[in-house]
Amino acid sequence: MTLVMPDDIVVLGHDRSSLDAIARPDAALAIWWRSLPDALRAALAFLDFDTVDDVSLDLAAGEAIDGALADASYADPVATLLAEDIGLLVRRHAALIGEDRLRLRLEVVETDACRRFHADFVTLRLLCSYVGPGTQWCRADAADAVCEVPTGAVAVFRGGCCSTRPPFSTARRQSARLANVVSCWRSIRCPARLSLSGRTSA
């Protein structure tokens, strides 16, 4: 993977306020370069991902997800620790997009369905890989320089619905509605990945 050098388009930081940089006119990607809390990382190490279901729901920014995790067969201590961390990210993302309801997906990525670099038709997309490889991304002017968001770190990508579209990556899915998107990412096999977007987004 390529070493990421921060600039106006890709902004890195070591606290949660780093994600605020996505509001800058030229920013296409903001990364909160963090490690998972020790207790959560340790609990996830013992989780059998064959025994849990994917979670997909619309929820309010302050809504608890403990019940949804329990329904998906996540048991304590993982469920409690995951709910706490996901709740933090949900509130953070809601503040970034200015919406009080979000669409959440916590999934075990077992295939390379998102193996091609692409951008989503959303305003902003928050991604966090809890276990396994992180999300990969590249820039249009350096398509061969593939970078990776570390496991546990939080990335917010600007999507195709933004009114401002900085000159980031032009790689995309083969879809007419994504013809002018500017940010680009892909996900490879990953045992646990969280995705957040606005409730009306794809």
Side-chain angles (χ1 to χ4, degrees):
M1 293 299 124
T2 301
L3 178 65
V4 180
M5 298 303 292
D7 54 27
D8 290 338
I9 297 174
V10 180
V11 184
L12 309 178
H14 294 280
D15 58 61
R16 68 188 70 174
S17 64
S18 308
L19 300 178
D20 294 341
I22 199 64
R24 298 178 188 173
D26 293 332
L29 170 60
I31 301 174
W32 173 12
W33 206 274
R34 69 163 193 167
S35 297
L36 289 178
D38 290 341
L40 176 55
R41 186 174 62 251
L44 287 168
F46 292 98
L47 180 63
D48 182 355
F49 290 95
D50 291 331
T51 65
V52 295
D53 298 321
D54 291 344
V55 177
S56 180
L57 71 158
D58 294 344
L59 77 167
E63 186 176 338
I65 65 162
D66 305 68
L69 291 176
D71 290 344
S73 300
Y74 282 87
D76 280 330
V78 174
T80 298
L81 295 168
L82 260 182
E84 181 179 340
D85 194 72
I86 291 172
L88 167 67
L89 299 184
V90 166
R91 293 188 297 274
R92 197 76 209 85
H93 197 61
L96 290 174
I97 64 175
E99 295 184 24
D100 61 356
R101 292 196 65 82
L102 300 176
R103 176 163 295 167
L104 176 149
R105 292 201 314 266
L106 177 65
E107 54 193 345
V108 177
V109 181
E110 299 178 296
T111 68
D112 292 336
C114 291
R115 66 188 178 277
R116 296 190 181 194
F117 286 106
H118 66 282
D120 292 319
F121 199 65
V122 298
T123 304
L124 299 175
R125 171 81 71 194
L126 181 149
L127 294 171
C128 177
S129 295
Y130 281 103
V131 179
T135 299
Q136 296 179 340
W137 58 273
C138 69
R139 293 175 54 150
D141 56 0
D144 292 332
V146 177
C147 302
E148 185 171 296
V149 180
T151 303
V154 182
V156 175
F157 290 82
R158 189 183 299 272
C161 288
C162 269
S163 57
T164 57
R165 295 177 173 177
F168 196 37
S169 177
T170 56
R172 58 182 73 91
R173 287 182 180 137
Q174 295 180 350
S175 172
R177 69 175 186 168
L178 297 182
N180 296 314
V181 297
V182 294
S183 62
C184 166
W185 63 275
R186 71 179 178 186
S187 181
I188 53 181
R189 290 182 177 89
C190 169
R193 185 189 70 188
L194 174 72
S195 172
L196 293 173
S197 64
R199 186 169 61 90
T200 57
S201 303

